[in-house]
Amino acid sequence: QVQLVESGGGSVQPGGSLRLSCAASGDTYSNYCMGWFRQALGKEREGVAAISTGGRATVYAESVKGRFTVSRDNAEKTLSLQMNSLKPEDTATYYCAADPIPCGVVLTPTSRYHYWGQGTQVTVSS
């Protein structure tokens, strides 16, 4: 098992930036593909970005391509999401999640991600 704790959320104006972090503990972190997901009020949870065990492969939702960057540090057991050019529609609770090997760098189905953090709120508003 792996335990996940997100941090870095907050309030920002449109066009601003935030960097989310996810700290992992427990099982061998490099045995998991990792993903970022978000859920806005009244909407279903959606995938934002995913990254392979070694960090070489990534995938992004169309809505965040070119604005968000996912990365990981296996030595530090951390996952990051750099979010630039934020829009009001990016407002949501953001979750990191772990998909154990054999894993795929995919955003769906969310059920393949066995472990989830508690989430961190991101609000983009003027």
Side-chain angles (χ1 to χ4, degrees), residues 64-100:
V64 307
K65 275 184 181 178
R67 299 188 298 123
F68 291 11
T69 303
V70 61
S71 60
R72 66 188 295 164
D73 185 331
N74 284 350
E76 295 294 324
K77 294 187 176 183
T78 58
L79 177 73
S80 297
L81 185 68
Q82 178 65 43
M83 305 186 296
N84 298 328
S85 303
L86 283 162
K87 304 176 181 180
E89 51 263 44
D90 295 318
T91 295
T93 301
Y94 283 71
Y95 302 87
C96 65
D99 174 11

Side-chain angles (χ1 to χ4, degrees), residues 46-65:
E46 64 175 353
V48 174
I51 190 167
S52 61
T53 55
R56 290 188 178 91
T58 58
V59 66
Y60 295 91
E62 285 295 326
S63 59
V64 307
K65 275 184 181 178

Side-chain angles (χ1 to χ4, degrees), residues 1-6 22-29 31-37 45 79 95-101 110-119:
Q1 290 190 2
V2 62
Q3 292 78 45
L4 305 171
V5 179
E6 302 94 338
C22 173
S25 60
D27 201 0
T28 304
Y29 179 62
N31 284 347
Y32 297 84
C33 292
M34 299 296 295
W36 284 102
F37 296 80
R45 189 170 297 189
L79 177 73
Y95 302 87
C96 65
D99 174 11
I101 55 172
T110 57
S111 58
R112 69 180 300 133
Y113 286 83
H114 292 195
Y115 305 105
W116 294 79
Q118 293 300 305

